[in-house]
């Protein structure tokens, strides 16, 4: 069963993401509001949904890069996609917040499919990184 890490400092958003993960039949690998917690939980994750700006500042890109280097499939979810420039090496892409429930589900499923090496169409509102 795919384990999904939620890196988000806003508790309500993190809980909504966790609920979506569970409803889709996947296992939450934990919730992290900052870099240290995210990296400590990253060893138990297959996929990570990562916000850019967290409690400890704009550490999301560093988190995403580090997780991707450890074979975690990373999708950024942020209200500020321009902060990622042309992308973070090894990560899948970014989707802009706020998200509709269906967009959240599509982003999660896309990341899982890519992690499991299945062909997956990039969700419409997601910017895929090369």
């Amino acid at each position: 069963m795919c384990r999904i890490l939620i890196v988000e400092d806003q508790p309500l958003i993190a809980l909504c993401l966790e609920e979506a993960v569970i409803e889709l039949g996947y296992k939450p690998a934990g919730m992290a509001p900052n870099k240290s917690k995210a990296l400590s939980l990253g060893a138990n994750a297959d996929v990570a949904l990562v916000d850019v700006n967290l409690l400890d500042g704009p550490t999301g890109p560093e988190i995403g890069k580090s997780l991707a280097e450890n074979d975690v499939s990373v999708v950024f979810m942020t209200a500020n996609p321009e902060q990622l420039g042309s992308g973070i090496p090894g990560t899948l892409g970014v989707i802009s917040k706020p998200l509709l429930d269906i967009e959240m589900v599509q982003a999660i499923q896309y990341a899982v499919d890519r992690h499991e090496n299945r062909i997956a169409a990039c969700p419409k509102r997601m910017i895929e990184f090369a």
Side-chain angles (χ1 to χ4, degrees):
M1 177 184 296
C2 193
R3 299 160 300 170
I4 302 177
L5 173 62
I6 298 161
V7 183
E8 171 63 61
D9 62 338
Q10 295 181 27
L12 186 56
I13 294 172
L15 289 170
C16 287
L17 289 167
E18 181 182 55
E19 184 178 321
V21 165
I22 293 167
E23 288 292 319
L24 288 168
Y26 303 118
K27 181 178 169 103
M31 290 189 279
N34 58 45
K35 181 179 174 182
S36 64
K37 184 75 171 178
L39 296 180
S40 71
L41 293 172
N44 297 318
D46 301 305
V47 169
L49 307 173
V50 180
D51 192 8
V52 171
N53 296 300
L54 300 164
L55 288 179
D56 52 358
T59 57
E62 296 171 48
I63 295 166
K65 184 176 186 287
S66 179
L67 293 174
E69 288 171 350
N70 290 295
D71 296 321
V72 176
S73 296
V74 175
V75 170
F76 292 100
M77 301 177 129
T78 180
N80 303 300
E82 63 280 351
Q83 284 184 274
L84 296 170
S86 60
I88 304 300
T91 63
L92 298 175
V94 60
I95 192 161
S96 295
K97 291 194 301 189
L99 297 173
L100 299 173
D101 289 346
I102 188 67
E103 294 166 334
M104 186 181 345
V105 167
Q106 289 170 342
I108 293 167
Q109 191 60 53
Y110 172 76
V112 170
D113 286 345
R114 289 287 307 271
H115 182 76
E116 295 178 351
N117 295 315
R118 291 192 294 255
I119 295 172
C122 184
K124 287 182 184 178
R125 287 198 46 228
M126 185 171 168
I127 300 167
E128 192 172 30
F129 297 150

